[in-house]
Amino acid sequence: MCLTLFMKPIMSFALLVLFFIQFFSQSLQQFPRPCTSRDVLQSKRCCPVWPGDGSVCGSLSGRGFCQDVAVSDLPNGPQFPHSDVDDRERWPLVFYNQTCRCAGNYMGFDCGECKFGFFGGNCGERRESVRRNIFQLSVSERQRFISYLNLAKNTVSPDYMIVTGTYAQMNNGSTPMFANISVYDLFVWMHYYVSRDALLGGPGNVWADIDFAHESAAFLPWHRVYLLFWEHEIRKLTGDFNFTIPYWDWRDAQDCQVCVDELMGARSPLNPTLISPSSVFSSWKVICSQPDDYNLREVLCDGSPEGPLLRNPGNHDRTRVPRLPSSADVEAVLSLTQYETGPMDRRANMSFRNTLEGFASPETGLAVTGRSLMHNSLHVFMNGSMSSVQGSANDPIFILHHAFIDSIFEQWLRRHQPPRTHYPTANAPIGHNDAHFMVPFIPLYRNGDYFLSTKALGYEYAYLLDPSQRFMQEFVTPYLQQAEQIWGWLLASGILGAVVAGIIATIIGVSCRRRTKRRKASGYGERQPLLNSSEEEGSASYQTTL
């Protein structure tokens, strides 16, 4: 009887501990802010002090130094016939001609961070992160990913601001025009800024055939750095340095598999173009979604909210996108041996880049018009915010989609192992040559520096691992990481449980002894066992009760 009294509170406490563990485990152009002042803009010197040692670019700690920016003078292609009319030309010289040059494994606008793939206080720890299929994530990992997205959407970036006017509109830097932006919307704005039309002067007078991240060679390297930088900022925001971007393997998909409330949001039953009210994304507001209005008013997107996130997958123009890409389409694209060909734009034939981007047929490798294939087909298929190039990053499906595109790029690099000389050094459309710096990144990244394997950048894709490594990453590692995250709770609950159990045992023991003494004193105590059995049977009965 005393044992039964003892065990009931212990079991209740154990259930309570398990509940709390489960609950908490599941719940559980950018412009550097220091470089947006009038003095910095007029001096054109973006070399901030690293707070770690109080020196410019962390020079006292050997992290880096302030250096003149050297921009390539090799010719561009004929697609953009103007010069000195757009702030993005010869990036970043319109704004800055000196920036921090970081040494060793250091990175960042002040050399205060680590290069991709390196960790630790002195950036000496080399670590390979693995991006996994979103459907291979546990329930808690999916919830964590969505909570990180929402946190980024609602947290002002502490490090970066966006420019809301051209350099000329800022009177050559004397009247700075910058605005705060959330961590997530920073990346929406970056994608807008890199692909926006060039303002030529006068309402609606623009040059549309210009894009520093699409329709030419930099498409894949630029988006590779974009995802790495996004991943890096989420890690800084959350303190979760094990975080990696998941991908959506959409090969042979018949519909939007990720469009469910547990992931990226289902379709609203009230309006097919909106996100289900059960999804956190139904409350998101988009930015940079009205390029025609900006062009007419001769302004830049200022990051103001412009309405709800829109998505209506499958209800698109089926003459343009008959179906989503198949496994056979991906394999056909991977068989192309040349990265870039001919004019190195959307008219390129037999170009791996142009075919993967979706301007050429995967069956023939020949450029097509009136159809959107491969990468482009997903954007059109979503039939909403993601279908406009400049505002497409408003939809978080953008991240899952481009992570898978990046993995196909990685497959091609491993299969063909092209030397860097296969990346165009000259005559690509403006901003796409090897030595051009990527717009609008600061710190600066060159296109050609990222025409290399993910292995060199510290990350991998789960489905590209060999079978034994893949088993570890998809099945074993997630559980080990979850156990590591809740280890503190387990230890604390164990200690607390032991203390509570001891107190309860002491109370019950004292109570039982007092009861026994009273029975003996009254002469009515039990003098025979309750069960007439042998010693062995009595022992077994005791063990069963225990």
Side-chain angles (χ1 to χ4, degrees), residues 411-454:
Q411 285 192 70
W412 186 84
L413 288 171
R414 295 184 188 183
R415 181 176 300 189
H416 301 284
Q417 298 185 352
R420 181 162 173 170
T421 53
H422 281 209
Y423 191 94
T425 57
N427 299 314
I430 186 171
H432 288 264
N433 287 344
D434 179 301
H436 285 162
F437 291 115
M438 297 179 181
V439 176
F441 289 99
I442 296 175
L444 302 175
Y445 305 102
R446 292 186 189 274
N447 292 326
D449 289 344
Y450 293 87
F451 187 68
L452 79 172
S453 173
T454 61

mmCIF file of all heavy atoms in Angstrom, residues 411-454:
data_model
loop_
_atom_site.group_PDB
_atom_site.id
_atom_site.type_symbol
_atom_site.label_atom_id
_atom_site.label_comp_id
_atom_site.label_asym_id
_atom_site.label_seq_id
_atom_site.Cartn_x
_atom_site.Cartn_y
_atom_site.Cartn_z
ATOM 1 N N GLN A 411 25.048 19.550 -58.418
ATOM 2 C CA GLN A 411 25.177 18.279 -59.145
ATOM 3 C C GLN A 411 25.957 18.480 -60.437
ATOM 4 O O GLN A 411 26.818 17.668 -60.796
ATOM 5 C CB GLN A 411 23.795 17.710 -59.468
ATOM 6 C CG GLN A 411 23.063 17.094 -58.310
ATOM 7 C CD GLN A 411 21.854 16.304 -58.794
ATOM 8 O OE1 GLN A 411 21.984 15.253 -59.409
ATOM 9 N NE2 GLN A 411 20.670 16.839 -58.529
ATOM 10 N N TRP A 412 25.652 19.553 -61.148
ATOM 11 C CA TRP A 412 26.321 19.821 -62.430
ATOM 12 C C TRP A 412 27.815 20.079 -62.215
ATOM 13 O O TRP A 412 28.659 19.575 -62.966
ATOM 14 C CB TRP A 412 25.664 21.018 -63.115
ATOM 15 C CG TRP A 412 26.194 21.285 -64.489
ATOM 16 C CD1 TRP A 412 25.823 20.700 -65.662
ATOM 17 C CD2 TRP A 412 27.233 22.230 -64.829
ATOM 18 N NE1 TRP A 412 26.547 21.217 -66.705
ATOM 19 C CE2 TRP A 412 27.421 22.150 -66.229
ATOM 20 C CE3 TRP A 412 28.005 23.119 -64.090
ATOM 21 C CZ2 TRP A 412 28.356 22.937 -66.895
ATOM 22 C CZ3 TRP A 412 28.943 23.899 -64.752
ATOM 23 C CH2 TRP A 412 29.113 23.804 -66.146
ATOM 24 N N LEU A 413 28.156 20.853 -61.182
ATOM 25 C CA LEU A 413 29.562 21.136 -60.903
ATOM 26 C C LEU A 413 30.320 19.850 -60.586
ATOM 27 O O LEU A 413 31.459 19.657 -61.041
ATOM 28 C CB LEU A 413 29.671 22.104 -59.721
ATOM 29 C CG LEU A 413 29.260 23.560 -59.982
ATOM 30 C CD1 LEU A 413 29.211 24.344 -58.673
ATOM 31 C CD2 LEU A 413 30.217 24.239 -60.957
ATOM 32 N N ARG A 414 29.716 18.954 -59.828
ATOM 33 C CA ARG A 414 30.397 17.712 -59.475
ATOM 34 C C ARG A 414 30.518 16.770 -60.665
ATOM 35 O O ARG A 414 31.517 16.052 -60.803
ATOM 36 C CB ARG A 414 29.643 17.015 -58.333
ATOM 37 C CG ARG A 414 29.651 17.794 -57.040
ATOM 38 C CD ARG A 414 28.986 17.034 -55.915
ATOM 39 N NE ARG A 414 28.842 17.888 -54.736
ATOM 40 C CZ ARG A 414 28.349 17.474 -53.574
ATOM 41 N NH1 ARG A 414 27.955 16.205 -53.432
ATOM 42 N NH2 ARG A 414 28.244 18.302 -52.551
ATOM 43 N N ARG A 415 29.511 16.776 -61.513
ATOM 44 C CA ARG A 415 29.539 15.862 -62.651
ATOM 45 C C ARG A 415 30.548 16.305 -63.703
ATOM 46 O O ARG A 415 31.277 15.480 -64.270
ATOM 47 C CB ARG A 415 28.145 15.771 -63.274
ATOM 48 C CG ARG A 415 28.068 14.824 -64.465
ATOM 49 C CD ARG A 415 26.652 14.682 -65.012
ATOM 50 N NE ARG A 415 25.709 14.153 -64.021
ATOM 51 C CZ ARG A 415 24.472 13.777 -64.318
ATOM 52 N NH1 ARG A 415 24.032 13.858 -65.572
ATOM 53 N NH2 ARG A 415 23.679 13.310 -63.375
ATOM 54 N N HIS A 416 30.619 17.604 -63.974
ATOM 55 C CA HIS A 416 31.458 18.097 -65.074
ATOM 56 C C HIS A 416 32.765 18.729 -64.607
ATOM 57 O O HIS A 416 33.682 18.890 -65.419
ATOM 58 C CB HIS A 416 30.663 19.091 -65.921
ATOM 59 C CG HIS A 416 29.415 18.509 -66.522
ATOM 60 N ND1 HIS A 416 29.440 17.666 -67.606
ATOM 61 C CD2 HIS A 416 28.118 18.627 -66.156
ATOM 62 C CE1 HIS A 416 28.191 17.303 -67.907
ATOM 63 N NE2 HIS A 416 27.381 17.864 -67.035
ATOM 64 N N GLN A 417 32.843 19.104 -63.339
ATOM 65 C CA GLN A 417 34.049 19.688 -62.758
ATOM 66 C C GLN A 417 34.686 20.745 -63.672
ATOM 67 O O GLN A 417 35.856 20.631 -64.067
ATOM 68 C CB GLN A 417 35.053 18.580 -62.445
ATOM 69 C CG GLN A 417 34.535 17.578 -61.424
ATOM 70 C CD GLN A 417 35.565 16.553 -61.014
ATOM 71 O OE1 GLN A 417 36.651 16.463 -61.582
ATOM 72 N NE2 GLN A 417 35.252 15.768 -60.004
ATOM 73 N N PRO A 418 33.942 21.793 -64.008
ATOM 74 C CA PRO A 418 34.473 22.813 -64.915
ATOM 75 C C PRO A 418 35.525 23.673 -64.222
ATOM 76 O O PRO A 418 35.375 24.008 -63.036
ATOM 77 C CB PRO A 418 33.235 23.644 -65.256
ATOM 78 C CG PRO A 418 32.381 23.533 -64.030
ATOM 79 C CD PRO A 418 32.589 22.124 -63.525
ATOM 80 N N PRO A 419 36.591 24.039 -64.913
ATOM 81 C CA PRO A 419 37.541 25.005 -64.341
ATOM 82 C C PRO A 419 36.900 26.387 -64.297
ATOM 83 O O PRO A 419 35.905 26.650 -64.983
ATOM 84 C CB PRO A 419 38.713 24.962 -65.321
ATOM 85 C CG PRO A 419 38.110 24.543 -66.616
ATOM 86 C CD PRO A 419 36.986 23.605 -66.271
ATOM 87 N N ARG A 420 37.473 27.269 -63.504
ATOM 88 C CA ARG A 420 36.894 28.615 -63.387
ATOM 89 C C ARG A 420 36.888 29.343 -64.733
ATOM 90 O O ARG A 420 36.063 30.218 -64.964
ATOM 91 C CB ARG A 420 37.660 29.420 -62.340
ATOM 92 C CG ARG A 420 37.110 30.817 -62.132
ATOM 93 C CD ARG A 420 37.570 31.437 -60.852
ATOM 94 N NE ARG A 420 37.171 32.829 -60.726
ATOM 95 C CZ ARG A 420 37.292 33.551 -59.623
ATOM 96 N NH1 ARG A 420 37.813 33.001 -58.536
ATOM 97 N NH2 ARG A 420 36.907 34.808 -59.587
ATOM 98 N N THR A 421 37.782 28.971 -65.616
ATOM 99 C CA THR A 421 37.844 29.635 -66.926
ATOM 100 C C THR A 421 36.575 29.415 -67.743
ATOM 101 O O THR A 421 36.352 30.119 -68.741
ATOM 102 C CB THR A 421 39.050 29.123 -67.725
ATOM 103 O OG1 THR A 421 38.992 27.684 -67.782
ATOM 104 C CG2 THR A 421 40.348 29.554 -67.082
ATOM 105 N N HIS A 422 35.729 28.445 -67.348
ATOM 106 C CA HIS A 422 34.454 28.247 -68.041
ATOM 107 C C HIS A 422 33.434 29.320 -67.693
ATOM 108 O O HIS A 422 32.416 29.444 -68.373
ATOM 109 C CB HIS A 422 33.879 26.860 -67.717
ATOM 110 C CG HIS A 422 34.520 25.761 -68.492
ATOM 111 N ND1 HIS A 422 33.865 24.603 -68.829
ATOM 112 C CD2 HIS A 422 35.763 25.630 -69.009
ATOM 113 C CE1 HIS A 422 34.684 23.813 -69.514
ATOM 114 N NE2 HIS A 422 35.842 24.423 -69.626
ATOM 115 N N TYR A 423 33.706 30.062 -66.642
ATOM 116 C CA TYR A 423 32.817 31.177 -66.293
ATOM 117 C C TYR A 423 33.263 32.399 -67.102
ATOM 118 O O TYR A 423 34.461 32.699 -67.157
ATOM 119 C CB TYR A 423 32.874 31.483 -64.797
ATOM 120 C CG TYR A 423 31.794 32.435 -64.361
ATOM 121 C CD1 TYR A 423 30.582 31.971 -63.860
ATOM 122 C CD2 TYR A 423 31.968 33.813 -64.500
ATOM 123 C CE1 TYR A 423 29.575 32.850 -63.505
ATOM 124 C CE2 TYR A 423 30.972 34.706 -64.151
ATOM 125 C CZ TYR A 423 29.768 34.222 -63.643
ATOM 126 O OH TYR A 423 28.763 35.100 -63.304
ATOM 127 N N PRO A 424 32.334 33.117 -67.732
ATOM 128 C CA PRO A 424 32.728 34.225 -68.630
ATOM 129 C C PRO A 424 33.445 35.358 -67.909
ATOM 130 O O PRO A 424 32.987 35.837 -66.875
ATOM 131 C CB PRO A 424 31.393 34.692 -69.220
ATOM 132 C CG PRO A 424 30.342 34.205 -68.279
ATOM 133 C CD PRO A 424 30.866 32.931 -67.699
ATOM 134 N N THR A 425 34.557 35.769 -68.464
ATOM 135 C CA THR A 425 35.323 36.871 -67.882
ATOM 136 C C THR A 425 34.952 38.217 -68.487
ATOM 137 O O THR A 425 35.199 39.264 -67.889
ATOM 138 C CB THR A 425 36.830 36.645 -68.085
ATOM 139 O OG1 THR A 425 37.090 36.488 -69.490
ATOM 140 C CG2 THR A 425 37.289 35.396 -67.346
ATOM 141 N N ALA A 426 34.363 38.210 -69.694
ATOM 142 C CA ALA A 426 34.013 39.458 -70.375
ATOM 143 C C ALA A 426 32.834 39.222 -71.294
ATOM 144 O O ALA A 426 32.486 38.081 -71.631
ATOM 145 C CB ALA A 426 35.210 39.981 -71.168
ATOM 146 N N ASN A 427 32.186 40.344 -71.681
ATOM 147 C CA ASN A 427 31.109 40.355 -72.678
ATOM 148 C C ASN A 427 29.807 39.701 -72.219
ATOM 149 O O ASN A 427 28.895 39.510 -73.023
ATOM 150 C CB ASN A 427 31.578 39.708 -73.986
ATOM 151 C CG ASN A 427 32.753 40.443 -74.604
ATOM 152 O OD1 ASN A 427 32.745 41.680 -74.691
ATOM 153 N ND2 ASN A 427 33.794 39.708 -74.994
ATOM 154 N N ALA A 428 29.698 39.365 -70.952
ATOM 155 C CA ALA A 428 28.397 38.959 -70.410
ATOM 156 C C ALA A 428 27.588 40.232 -70.143
ATOM 157 O O ALA A 428 28.153 41.332 -70.053
ATOM 158 C CB ALA A 428 28.583 38.155 -69.131
ATOM 159 N N PRO A 429 26.275 40.127 -70.014
ATOM 160 C CA PRO A 429 25.481 41.320 -69.663
ATOM 161 C C PRO A 429 26.012 41.997 -68.414
ATOM 162 O O PRO A 429 26.649 41.363 -67.562
ATOM 163 C CB PRO A 429 24.078 40.741 -69.447
ATOM 164 C CG PRO A 429 24.030 39.535 -70.337
ATOM 165 C CD PRO A 429 25.418 38.958 -70.277
ATOM 166 N N ILE A 430 25.737 43.265 -68.279
ATOM 167 C CA ILE A 430 26.290 44.073 -67.205
ATOM 168 C C ILE A 430 26.084 43.413 -65.845
ATOM 169 O O ILE A 430 25.003 42.947 -65.503
ATOM 170 C CB ILE A 430 25.674 45.492 -67.225
ATOM 171 C CG1 ILE A 430 26.362 46.382 -66.177
ATOM 172 C CG2 ILE A 430 24.168 45.445 -67.035
ATOM 173 C CD1 ILE A 430 25.966 47.846 -66.277
ATOM 174 N N GLY A 431 27.177 43.343 -65.071
ATOM 175 C CA GLY A 431 27.136 42.774 -63.735
ATOM 176 C C GLY A 431 27.384 41.282 -63.660
ATOM 177 O O GLY A 431 27.448 40.725 -62.567
ATOM 178 N N HIS A 432 27.537 40.600 -64.814
ATOM 179 C CA HIS A 432 27.624 39.139 -64.818
ATOM 180 C C HIS A 432 29.025 38.599 -65.115
ATOM 181 O O HIS A 432 29.227 37.390 -65.062
ATOM 182 C CB HIS A 432 26.624 38.556 -65.822
ATOM 183 C CG HIS A 432 25.189 38.663 -65.381
ATOM 184 N ND1 HIS A 432 24.519 37.646 -64.758
ATOM 185 C CD2 HIS A 432 24.311 39.692 -65.454
ATOM 186 C CE1 HIS A 432 23.286 38.024 -64.484
ATOM 187 N NE2 HIS A 432 23.130 39.266 -64.902
ATOM 188 N N ASN A 433 29.982 39.449 -65.440
ATOM 189 C CA ASN A 433 31.339 38.965 -65.681
ATOM 190 C C ASN A 433 31.948 38.375 -64.403
ATOM 191 O O ASN A 433 31.524 38.701 -63.289
ATOM 192 C CB ASN A 433 32.247 40.086 -66.179
ATOM 193 C CG ASN A 433 31.947 40.476 -67.614
ATOM 194 O OD1 ASN A 433 31.272 39.749 -68.344
ATOM 195 N ND2 ASN A 433 32.441 41.636 -68.028
ATOM 196 N N ASP A 434 32.963 37.537 -64.569
ATOM 197 C CA ASP A 434 33.618 36.858 -63.457
ATOM 198 C C ASP A 434 34.017 37.818 -62.338
ATOM 199 O O ASP A 434 33.745 37.581 -61.159
ATOM 200 C CB ASP A 434 34.847 36.111 -63.990
ATOM 201 C CG ASP A 434 35.627 35.377 -62.908
ATOM 202 O OD1 ASP A 434 36.103 36.029 -61.957
ATOM 203 O OD2 ASP A 434 35.779 34.148 -63.010
ATOM 204 N N ALA A 435 34.689 38.908 -62.682
ATOM 205 C CA ALA A 435 35.274 39.796 -61.673
ATOM 206 C C ALA A 435 34.312 40.851 -61.145
ATOM 207 O O ALA A 435 34.689 41.640 -60.274
ATOM 208 C CB ALA A 435 36.518 40.479 -62.248
ATOM 209 N N HIS A 436 33.084 40.887 -61.643
ATOM 210 C CA HIS A 436 32.123 41.876 -61.147
ATOM 211 C C HIS A 436 31.676 41.516 -59.732
ATOM 212 O O HIS A 436 31.466 40.343 -59.402
ATOM 213 C CB HIS A 436 30.900 41.945 -62.064
ATOM 214 C CG HIS A 436 31.162 42.650 -63.352
ATOM 215 N ND1 HIS A 436 30.343 42.523 -64.458
ATOM 216 C CD2 HIS A 436 32.150 43.499 -63.722
ATOM 217 C CE1 HIS A 436 30.816 43.261 -65.454
ATOM 218 N NE2 HIS A 436 31.918 43.860 -65.019
ATOM 219 N N PHE A 437 31.521 42.546 -58.904
ATOM 220 C CA PHE A 437 30.986 42.346 -57.562
ATOM 221 C C PHE A 437 29.470 42.220 -57.639
ATOM 222 O O PHE A 437 28.806 42.906 -58.421
ATOM 223 C CB PHE A 437 31.374 43.503 -56.644
ATOM 224 C CG PHE A 437 32.837 43.555 -56.321
ATOM 225 C CD1 PHE A 437 33.627 44.619 -56.744
ATOM 226 C CD2 PHE A 437 33.426 42.532 -55.593
ATOM 227 C CE1 PHE A 437 34.967 44.676 -56.441
ATOM 228 C CE2 PHE A 437 34.789 42.578 -55.281
ATOM 229 C CZ PHE A 437 35.558 43.647 -55.711
ATOM 230 N N MET A 438 28.937 41.347 -56.801
ATOM 231 C CA MET A 438 27.493 41.096 -56.797
ATOM 232 C C MET A 438 26.736 42.278 -56.202
ATOM 233 O O MET A 438 27.041 42.736 -55.100
ATOM 234 C CB MET A 438 27.178 39.842 -55.981
ATOM 235 C CG MET A 438 27.788 38.565 -56.546
ATOM 236 S SD MET A 438 27.394 37.148 -55.487
ATOM 237 C CE MET A 438 28.247 35.830 -56.384
ATOM 238 N N VAL A 439 25.744 42.751 -56.919
ATOM 239 C CA VAL A 439 24.847 43.810 -56.453
ATOM 240 C C VAL A 439 23.762 43.138 -55.595
ATOM 241 O O VAL A 439 23.222 42.094 -55.984
ATOM 242 C CB VAL A 439 24.207 44.531 -57.657
ATOM 243 C CG1 VAL A 439 23.199 45.574 -57.187
ATOM 244 C CG2 VAL A 439 25.267 45.143 -58.567
ATOM 245 N N PRO A 440 23.379 43.702 -54.444
ATOM 246 C CA PRO A 440 23.900 44.894 -53.785
ATOM 247 C C PRO A 440 24.661 44.530 -52.514
ATOM 248 O O PRO A 440 24.533 45.200 -51.495
ATOM 249 C CB PRO A 440 22.622 45.640 -53.442
ATOM 250 C CG PRO A 440 21.665 44.521 -53.075
ATOM 251 C CD PRO A 440 22.071 43.315 -53.881
ATOM 252 N N PHE A 441 25.441 43.459 -52.549
ATOM 253 C CA PHE A 441 26.092 42.959 -51.338
ATOM 254 C C PHE A 441 27.232 43.864 -50.872
ATOM 255 O O PHE A 441 28.070 44.289 -51.653
ATOM 256 C CB PHE A 441 26.663 41.556 -51.577
ATOM 257 C CG PHE A 441 25.623 40.489 -51.706
ATOM 258 C CD1 PHE A 441 25.224 40.042 -52.954
ATOM 259 C CD2 PHE A 441 25.041 39.918 -50.589
ATOM 260 C CE1 PHE A 441 24.270 39.044 -53.087
ATOM 261 C CE2 PHE A 441 24.082 38.920 -50.705
ATOM 262 C CZ PHE A 441 23.700 38.486 -51.955
ATOM 263 N N ILE A 442 27.222 44.114 -49.570
ATOM 264 C CA ILE A 442 28.368 44.672 -48.862
ATOM 265 C C ILE A 442 28.401 43.938 -47.533
ATOM 266 O O ILE A 442 27.456 44.076 -46.757
ATOM 267 C CB ILE A 442 28.253 46.183 -48.637
ATOM 268 C CG1 ILE A 442 28.260 46.915 -49.983
ATOM 269 C CG2 ILE A 442 29.396 46.698 -47.767
ATOM 270 C CD1 ILE A 442 28.037 48.412 -49.872
ATOM 271 N N PRO A 443 29.369 43.108 -47.245
ATOM 272 C CA PRO A 443 30.672 42.973 -47.910
ATOM 273 C C PRO A 443 30.555 42.499 -49.350
ATOM 274 O O PRO A 443 29.518 42.013 -49.783
ATOM 275 C CB PRO A 443 31.388 41.937 -47.043
ATOM 276 C CG PRO A 443 30.283 41.130 -46.436
ATOM 277 C CD PRO A 443 29.188 42.106 -46.175
ATOM 278 N N LEU A 444 31.661 42.651 -50.064
ATOM 279 C CA LEU A 444 31.686 42.399 -51.495
ATOM 280 C C LEU A 444 31.983 40.934 -51.814
ATOM 281 O O LEU A 444 32.827 40.311 -51.182
ATOM 282 C CB LEU A 444 32.740 43.285 -52.162
ATOM 283 C CG LEU A 444 32.569 44.795 -51.953
ATOM 284 C CD1 LEU A 444 33.752 45.553 -52.556
ATOM 285 C CD2 LEU A 444 31.258 45.284 -52.574
ATOM 286 N N TYR A 445 31.275 40.401 -52.817
ATOM 287 C CA TYR A 445 31.495 39.041 -53.307
ATOM 288 C C TYR A 445 31.602 39.088 -54.829
ATOM 289 O O TYR A 445 30.770 39.716 -55.487
ATOM 290 C CB TYR A 445 30.331 38.120 -52.924
ATOM 291 C CG TYR A 445 30.013 38.073 -51.453
ATOM 292 C CD1 TYR A 445 28.931 38.782 -50.927
ATOM 293 C CD2 TYR A 445 30.783 37.323 -50.569
ATOM 294 C CE1 TYR A 445 28.626 38.735 -49.581
ATOM 295 C CE2 TYR A 445 30.494 37.280 -49.216
ATOM 296 C CZ TYR A 445 29.406 37.982 -48.727
ATOM 297 O OH TYR A 445 29.108 37.940 -47.383
ATOM 298 N N ARG A 446 32.606 38.422 -55.386
ATOM 299 C CA ARG A 446 32.765 38.360 -56.844
ATOM 300 C C ARG A 446 32.015 37.154 -57.398
ATOM 301 O O ARG A 446 31.989 36.084 -56.794
ATOM 302 C CB ARG A 446 34.240 38.245 -57.230
ATOM 303 C CG ARG A 446 35.065 39.478 -56.938
ATOM 304 C CD ARG A 446 36.483 39.314 -57.504
ATOM 305 N NE ARG A 446 37.376 40.369 -57.071
ATOM 306 C CZ ARG A 446 37.505 41.555 -57.677
ATOM 307 N NH1 ARG A 446 36.793 41.799 -58.764
ATOM 308 N NH2 ARG A 446 38.337 42.468 -57.207
ATOM 309 N N ASN A 447 31.450 37.318 -58.580
ATOM 310 C CA ASN A 447 30.690 36.235 -59.214
ATOM 311 C C ASN A 447 31.513 34.957 -59.326
ATOM 312 O O ASN A 447 31.084 33.873 -58.927
ATOM 313 C CB ASN A 447 30.223 36.662 -60.610
ATOM 314 C CG ASN A 447 29.177 37.759 -60.570
ATOM 315 O OD1 ASN A 447 28.350 37.812 -59.664
ATOM 316 N ND2 ASN A 447 29.222 38.655 -61.554
ATOM 317 N N GLY A 448 32.699 35.078 -59.904
ATOM 318 C CA GLY A 448 33.508 33.897 -60.198
ATOM 319 C C GLY A 448 33.987 33.148 -58.981
ATOM 320 O O GLY A 448 34.276 31.952 -59.050
ATOM 321 N N ASP A 449 34.046 33.843 -57.823
ATOM 322 C CA ASP A 449 34.515 33.197 -56.594
ATOM 323 C C ASP A 449 33.536 32.138 -56.103
ATOM 324 O O ASP A 449 33.905 31.307 -55.268
ATOM 325 C CB ASP A 449 34.727 34.229 -55.493
ATOM 326 C CG ASP A 449 35.938 35.119 -55.753
ATOM 327 O OD1 ASP A 449 36.769 34.755 -56.594
ATOM 328 O OD2 ASP A 449 36.028 36.197 -55.118
ATOM 329 N N TYR A 450 32.307 32.162 -56.603
ATOM 330 C CA TYR A 450 31.290 31.219 -56.141
ATOM 331 C C TYR A 450 30.851 30.255 -57.233
ATOM 332 O O TYR A 450 29.821 29.606 -57.131
ATOM 333 C CB TYR A 450 30.111 31.994 -55.532
ATOM 334 C CG TYR A 450 30.577 32.671 -54.268
ATOM 335 C CD1 TYR A 450 31.172 33.933 -54.316
ATOM 336 C CD2 TYR A 450 30.529 32.008 -53.049
ATOM 337 C CE1 TYR A 450 31.675 34.523 -53.173
ATOM 338 C CE2 TYR A 450 31.031 32.595 -51.895
ATOM 339 C CZ TYR A 450 31.604 33.855 -51.968
ATOM 340 O OH TYR A 450 32.112 34.423 -50.827
ATOM 341 N N PHE A 451 31.707 30.151 -58.252
ATOM 342 C CA PHE A 451 31.543 29.130 -59.284
ATOM 343 C C PHE A 451 32.355 27.911 -58.835
ATOM 344 O O PHE A 451 33.313 27.490 -59.474
ATOM 345 C CB PHE A 451 32.050 29.681 -60.626
ATOM 346 C CG PHE A 451 31.786 28.798 -61.813
ATOM 347 C CD1 PHE A 451 30.504 28.577 -62.267
ATOM 348 C CD2 PHE A 451 32.833 28.203 -62.502
ATOM 349 C CE1 PHE A 451 30.267 27.781 -63.382
ATOM 350 C CE2 PHE A 451 32.613 27.401 -63.612
ATOM 351 C CZ PHE A 451 31.323 27.190 -64.050
ATOM 352 N N LEU A 452 31.961 27.364 -57.674
ATOM 353 C CA LEU A 452 32.712 26.257 -57.081
ATOM 354 C C LEU A 452 31.780 25.455 -56.191
ATOM 355 O O LEU A 452 30.669 25.878 -55.876
ATOM 356 C CB LEU A 452 33.912 26.762 -56.281
ATOM 357 C CG LEU A 452 33.700 27.312 -54.877
ATOM 358 C CD1 LEU A 452 35.043 27.559 -54.213
ATOM 359 C CD2 LEU A 452 32.880 28.586 -54.874
ATOM 360 N N SER A 453 32.244 24.287 -55.787
ATOM 361 C CA SER A 453 31.411 23.335 -55.057
ATOM 362 C C SER A 453 31.010 23.840 -53.679
ATOM 363 O O SER A 453 31.729 24.611 -53.037
ATOM 364 C CB SER A 453 32.158 22.007 -54.906
ATOM 365 O OG SER A 453 31.456 21.117 -54.067
ATOM 366 N N THR A 454 29.859 23.360 -53.233
ATOM 367 C CA THR A 454 29.394 23.689 -51.885
ATOM 368 C C THR A 454 30.368 23.176 -50.827
ATOM 369 O O THR A 454 30.412 23.709 -49.718
ATOM 370 C CB THR A 454 28.015 23.074 -51.614
ATOM 371 O OG1 THR A 454 28.090 21.639 -51.718
ATOM 372 C CG2 THR A 454 26.984 23.578 -52.611
#
